[in-house]
Amino acid sequence: MIEISTDKSKLQMDVIHQFLTTTYWAKGRTFDEVKKTIDNCLCFGVYIDGKQIGFARIATDYTVFAYVMDVFILPEYRGKGYSKQLMKAINEEPQLQSCKVWMLKTSDAHKLYMQFGYTELKHPEKVMERLL
């Protein structure tokens, strides 16, 4: 049985940082950078018997916009439906219910996110980005 919590005091920073530095999207992110991102977002930890096995963070204003980021389940725990449970918890989080615009970026988990209503951009010509 897993536990999903937004209590930041339960987050195991070493687990989060160690995993993120192996990903295509966060390679090279320092421990201090990971801590700063967590300090400034709504975070979800996924636990089995107190051991952190997953994570996600939401950059949000809690009113209009929610951006899903850094979602993962550790490799040895994949294939058990935990990512679906995590996304369900995120979608049902009471603090985010007024948000009308939800976004995320992914290179490899489209099927997961489509199950929760995410689609390709309806109007990509309206979306801009600035990458540094």
Side-chain angles (χ1 to χ4, degrees):
M1 173 101 172
I2 68 166
E3 174 193 1
I4 299 174
S5 173
T6 58
D7 181 351
K8 288 184 183 179
S9 71
K10 292 183 176 187
L11 294 174
Q12 297 165 13
M13 293 293 298
D14 55 334
V15 172
I16 298 166
H17 177 253
Q18 184 176 5
F19 181 81
L20 287 177
T21 60
T22 70
T23 65
Y24 66 85
W25 72 85
K27 195 171 219 59
R29 201 177 289 170
T30 69
F31 187 89
D32 287 340
E33 289 171 334
V34 170
K35 184 178 180 329
K36 187 175 182 180
T37 64
I38 286 171
D39 288 345
N40 291 290
C41 290
L42 174 62
C43 297
F44 292 76
V46 184
Y47 309 90
I48 293 180
D49 297 325
K51 174 182 170 32
Q52 185 158 6
I53 64 147
F55 176 77
R57 67 184 178 92
I58 314 300
T60 184
D61 60 12
Y62 296 94
T63 306
V64 177
F65 185 77
Y67 195 103
V68 181
M69 306 176 80
D70 291 343
V71 179
F72 71 84
I73 299 294
L74 294 176
E76 59 268 33
Y77 295 95
R78 293 181 186 162
K80 297 175 172 60
Y82 298 148
S83 61
K84 290 178 188 174
Q85 291 178 58
L86 173 56
M87 288 305 299
K88 183 177 187 297
I90 291 169
N91 282 356
E92 294 176 358
E93 172 57 41
Q95 299 178 80
L96 300 174
Q97 292 311 298
S98 70
C99 294
K100 300 291 184 244
V101 177
W102 288 70
M103 295 188 77
L104 60 81
K105 289 184 181 179
T106 186
S107 291
D108 57 3
H110 295 79
K111 288 182 182 179
L112 168 66
Y113 299 118
M114 290 172 117
Q115 296 173 56
F116 293 93
Y118 290 87
T119 63
E120 292 182 3
L121 294 174
K122 298 289 187 216
H123 301 284
E125 70 279 4
K126 293 182 180 183
V127 178
M128 298 178 72
E129 66 183 0
R130 179 175 175 242
L131 302 175
L132 303 177

